[in-house]
Amino acid sequence: MPEISGTEEPISYRKITDSYFKMGASEWEPHIINDSYLPDRVLEAGHAVGWTLREKIVTLMLSETGAKVSEVVELLIGDYRKAKRETEAMTFSKGSYGKRVKYIQFSPNTAKLLKHYINHERIKYTKCSKKLNDLNDNVLIFVNYRGTGLKREAWFYHWNKAMKYNGLKLNPHKARHWFVTTRMKMIYERAKDESEFHSIKSS
């Protein structure tokens, strides 16, 4: 498929996936991606393998925003501090070449955890006492154990460790599919009829 389709390149280690559709009562039924408790299952697995607050926040933001891993992991202090609300952050998009062109929105609880991470957990690794209001706009929010910017590949290590623990063949990109699926389901359940569903979906 062409790049514009948004599909992923095949990955050799991902030959089998738990994200599939299964015939049931003559209808296609989505599994895993339609699991409303999927983020909880992922967080439970992360807790079991010793995830830090950093991994938890990234996972929450993925499931609450539908953003890509890089769009969350590579957030800058300025992306969050300059946003209109504490539950928002500016980020780049595919094809924007790093330019911040969109907002992602997350829950108040995630915002609270994010501020705690920046003002407390992050300081432990950077050895810098500066907090959210004093840090430079162009420094990365999420850092590794050496105090430098967290890399996308390094975050995948922690994700894969948790997935191996709970037996889920799930990559973070599926969080995007889960986000869209649950939001579409929510719209459908709230719509009074089919015409209202299509009206809300297109707005």
Side-chain angles (χ1 to χ4, degrees), residues 98-114:
K99 184 178 180 180
R100 272 49 183 172
V101 295
K102 68 179 182 181
Y103 283 94
I104 55 174
Q105 295 181 324
F106 35 90
S107 70
N109 179 64
T110 299
K112 181 179 179 180
L113 293 175
L114 180 60

Side-chain angles (χ1 to χ4, degrees), residues 154-166:
W155 186 83
F156 268 105
Y157 166 79
H158 297 285
W159 173 276
N160 291 333
K161 185 178 180 181
M163 293 309 97
K164 183 177 180 180
Y165 174 85
N166 69 2

Side-chain angles (χ1 to χ4, degrees), residues 146-157:
R146 294 185 298 275
T148 57
L150 178 67
K151 300 293 185 181
R152 177 175 176 269
E153 294 75 17
W155 186 83
F156 268 105
Y157 166 79

Side-chain angles (χ1 to χ4, degrees), residues 1-8 94:
M1 296 294 288
E3 183 178 352
I4 195 172
S5 68
T7 57
E8 298 175 277
K94 186 177 181 179

Side-chain angles (χ1 to χ4, degrees), residues 81-148:
R81 191 167 53 202
K82 292 180 179 179
K84 298 177 181 178
R85 302 178 181 87
E86 65 175 11
T87 55
E88 291 181 342
M90 298 178 67
T91 190
F92 54 89
S93 185
K94 186 177 181 179
S96 72
Y97 301 100
K99 184 178 180 180
R100 272 49 183 172
V101 295
K102 68 179 182 181
Y103 283 94
I104 55 174
Q105 295 181 324
F106 35 90
S107 70
N109 179 64
T110 299
K112 181 179 179 180
L113 293 175
L114 180 60
K115 286 189 290 185
H116 181 83
Y117 169 79
I118 295 172
N119 291 330
H120 300 282
E121 299 298 318
R122 187 181 185 278
I123 289 175
K124 295 179 181 179
Y125 303 112
T126 60
K127 297 180 181 178
C128 171
S129 60
K130 291 183 179 180
K131 296 188 177 183
L132 177 61
N133 293 332
D134 303 312
L135 288 164
N136 293 330
D137 285 341
N138 60 350
V139 300
L140 287 163
I141 291 178
F142 300 106
V143 296
N144 58 29
Y145 296 112
R146 294 185 298 275
T148 57

Side-chain angles (χ1 to χ4, degrees), residues 68-82:
K68 294 182 178 180
V69 174
S70 58
E71 294 170 358
V72 173
V73 170
E74 298 176 25
L75 283 172
L76 304 175
I77 289 293
D79 295 335
Y80 181 52
R81 191 167 53 202
K82 292 180 179 179

